[in-house]
Amino acid sequence: MKVLVINCGSSSLKYQLLNPSTGELFAIGLCDRIGIANSKLEYEIPATDFELEINQDLPNHKIALELVVKTITDKEHGVVASIEEIDAIGHRIVHGGEKFAYSVMLDETVLAAIEENNELAPLHNPANLMGVRTCMELMPGKPNVAVFDTAFHQTMPAKAFMYPLPYADYTELKVRKYGFHGTSHLFVSNEMNRIMGNPEHSKIIVCHLGNGASITAVQDGKSVDTSMGLTPLQGLMMGTRCGDVDPATVLFIKNKRNLTDKEMDDRLNKQSGILGIFGKSSDCRDMENGIKAGDERAILAEDMMIYRLKSYIGAYSAAMGGLDAICFTGGIGENSAAIREGAVKGLEFIGAKIDTAINSTRKKGIVKLSTEDSRVLIYKIPTNEELVIARDTYKIVNENK
Ligand code: AMP
């Protein structure tokens, strides 16, 4: 079986062709700057390290996807002879609202139901749906499956997902915590459970730290709380997103600075986080280089990130009444020894002790970071959201046969 995984953003289209059973990756790539000048397609065959970059005008997603299909079926450097070899298409859909606790086969009714959530994720969902419609048009008859970022968190109890606002804001406007990065939290917590020998009961904290960052408490395989909320703005401090602030600051700054709604939204989503505090970049590597150079705002930014992360680890350990493992994933979680060490340093009182020597090596793959006498396991586990999407697609297609 070969599944094409599509992750459509407003100006990008990431794709992977893979075998959901073995995880074998046939091709991986990205169309960048769709609808903007200097658009291009990147294509890679991991088995042979073959790489190709095509600089071509990609005015819309349909033309971008046509180029993806043309490239993966190309006689010289393709990985399949024709699209007939592609069995199904799996789509990342950011917001499934309360309707979708599981992945689902896409049809017009499901598309309409997903569209109802567009206003909850205005930057992501319309782009995701455009990807689905384009695939349906270009590859008619192929099964398309939706895999939601929010689905894994639908197991949260009401006491965790409700905001203490007037109840009608929940019933009438669907305002509640939904959580995101669900496929990543699911993949990493499953891996951790597998490493622990699949115990009947487990208490795991997954820290997904990338440009976007969220942390999830996973008890007995189920998400019981997560740091992102109605939108992916709540929770941890991120690359350009502020995470938790007093809600009153929003109106205060907006009024004082005389900003429009859009300007205020941009301030919180695009000008805050690492970028807001450090000032020079939103990138963790730049911040860490700043720290080496003695930049005080870089030092403050990292201190804040670590402090907030540690506070969540403490809160979620308390919420679960204990802790068996802490896992780090995402670009920062997998690569920044300083953030990992900072986040767990001082947590010996809950039984978590990091081996600083192992933590600072650049070993790839799954790495155990806790000391032998640490009661709580600490692991670095590379995430693989595409594999979760491909596996779910395979499962749903088989169930619908
Ligand atoms: P992601 O969104 O998961 O791709 O993660 C992107 C973030 O990972 C950016 O902030 C990068 O600076 C960070 N990152 C990637 N490689 C490293 C590294 N070697 N050290 C520190 N941060 C890194």
Side-chain angles (χ1 to χ4, degrees):
M1 176 122 185
K2 289 184 174 125
V3 173
L4 181 63
V5 173
I6 297 287
N7 179 355
C8 243
S10 52
S11 63
S12 68
L13 187 163
K14 292 184 193 150
Y15 64 92
Q16 286 193 13
L17 185 69
L18 69 163
N19 180 326
S21 309
T22 62
E24 186 187 355
L25 189 54
F26 305 108
I28 176 169
L30 148 88
C31 291
D32 210 6
R33 302 179 61 83
I34 299 170
I36 311 173
N38 305 322
S39 47
K40 64 171 182 191
L41 171 139
E42 290 174 16
Y43 172 73
E44 190 190 330
I45 306 174
T48 58
D49 283 335
F50 175 84
E51 280 182 26
L52 180 72
E53 192 175 303
I54 302 174
N55 293 294
Q56 183 183 315
D57 195 22
L58 301 170
N60 56 49
H61 285 75
K62 183 164 176 241
I63 292 176
L65 193 63
E66 272 171 357
L67 185 60
V68 171
V69 170
K70 190 166 161 247
T71 310
I72 59 178
T73 56
D74 187 87
K75 277 209 178 66
E76 267 176 41
H77 50 249
V79 285
V80 286
S82 76
I83 57 167
E84 293 315 309
E85 284 184 44
I86 300 171
D87 297 284
I89 306 159
H91 297 266
R92 176 192 182 208
I93 309 284
V94 166
H95 217 309
E98 284 191 323
K99 264 207 181 108
F100 299 105
Y102 301 99
S103 303
V104 62
M105 186 73 90
L106 279 153
D107 57 23
E108 282 305 323
T109 319
V110 171
L111 279 171
I114 297 173
E115 242 157 42
E116 282 176 25
N117 294 319
N118 277 7
E119 59 180 13
L120 294 176
L123 295 179
H124 296 99
N125 266 28
N128 300 157
L129 291 174
M130 185 159 47
V132 177
R133 292 204 184 277
T134 309
C135 284
M136 286 176 161
E137 201 181 321
L138 282 181
M139 294 177 269
K142 294 261 180 248
N144 285 273
V145 172
V147 181
F148 302 92
D149 265 25
T150 46
F152 180 56
H153 301 300
Q154 280 296 305
T155 48
M156 279 189 289
K159 65 182 176 188
F161 75 67
M162 285 298 291
Y163 293 132
L165 294 166
Y167 197 71
D169 289 346
Y170 169 59
T171 51
E172 292 167 15
L173 304 177
K174 303 182 201 164
V175 172
R176 51 159 282 180
K177 178 186 276 196
Y178 290 96
F180 298 86
H181 294 139
T183 46
S184 178
H185 290 293
L186 168 69
F187 178 83
V188 173
S189 57
N190 275 349
E191 286 293 283
M192 194 62 238
N193 266 320
R194 186 181 55 74
I195 292 165
M196 294 196 296
N198 291 317
E200 201 182 329
H201 297 291
S202 59
K203 292 167 178 168
I204 298 171
I205 290 179
V206 180
C207 309
H208 176 112
L209 311 175
N211 268 326
S214 66
I215 177 165
T216 296
V218 185
Q219 189 162 358
D220 303 339
K222 293 192 178 83
S223 168
V224 291
D225 203 352
T226 192
S227 58
M228 280 179 168
L230 173 74
T231 75
L233 183 58
Q234 193 186 345
L236 299 172
M237 173 171 157
M238 311 179 212
T240 59
R241 285 174 246 169
C242 58
D244 298 334
V245 294
D246 178 348
T249 54
V250 180
L251 270 182
F252 182 83
I253 294 170
K254 185 176 181 291
N255 292 335
K256 282 279 178 194
R257 295 197 178 278
N258 211 5
L259 302 178
T260 63
D261 289 354
K262 166 86 175 67
E263 284 165 343
M264 191 61 220
D265 195 59
D266 279 356
R267 199 169 182 87
L268 300 169
N269 273 292
K270 298 183 181 163
Q271 296 160 20
S272 297
I274 296 178
L275 179 64
I277 299 299
F278 172 36
K280 293 180 181 147
S281 163
S282 63
D283 194 289
C284 181
R285 282 162 295 198
D286 295 338
M287 177 182 74
E288 290 188 343
N289 286 333
I291 292 168
K292 279 186 208 135
D295 184 316
E296 288 196 357
R297 278 174 53 184
I299 296 168
L300 173 64
E302 190 175 71
D303 279 352
M304 288 170 65
M305 275 178 81
I306 288 171
Y307 177 73
R308 286 165 169 248
L309 184 53
K310 186 184 287 185
S311 304
Y312 264 103
I313 294 175
Y316 286 171
S317 307
M320 290 192 287
L323 186 63
D324 299 314
I326 303 170
C327 311
F328 290 96
T329 196
I332 297 172
E334 290 169 36
N335 294 298
S336 171
I339 302 250
R340 287 192 304 250
E341 184 180 332
V344 295
K345 214 164 109 188
L347 291 184
E348 291 80 9
F349 77 99
I350 53 167
K353 250 164 112 180
I354 193 162
D355 185 321
T356 49
I358 295 177
N359 182 50
S360 54
T361 56
R362 305 215 112 264
K363 230 165 116 187
K364 294 252 173 246
I366 296 180
V367 183
K368 181 181 170 188
L369 306 170
S370 43
T371 58
E372 284 313 311
D373 63 342
S374 177
R375 194 191 52 74
V376 173
L377 296 170
I378 306 170
Y379 267 78
K380 172 183 95 151
I381 302 181
T383 196
N384 195 340
E385 292 164 275
E386 288 76 13
L387 185 58
V388 174
I389 297 175
R391 281 179 186 162
D392 261 25
T393 302
Y394 177 65
K395 192 173 124 233
I396 301 283
V397 169
N398 274 335
E399 282 170 5
N400 282 273
K401 261 186 184 156

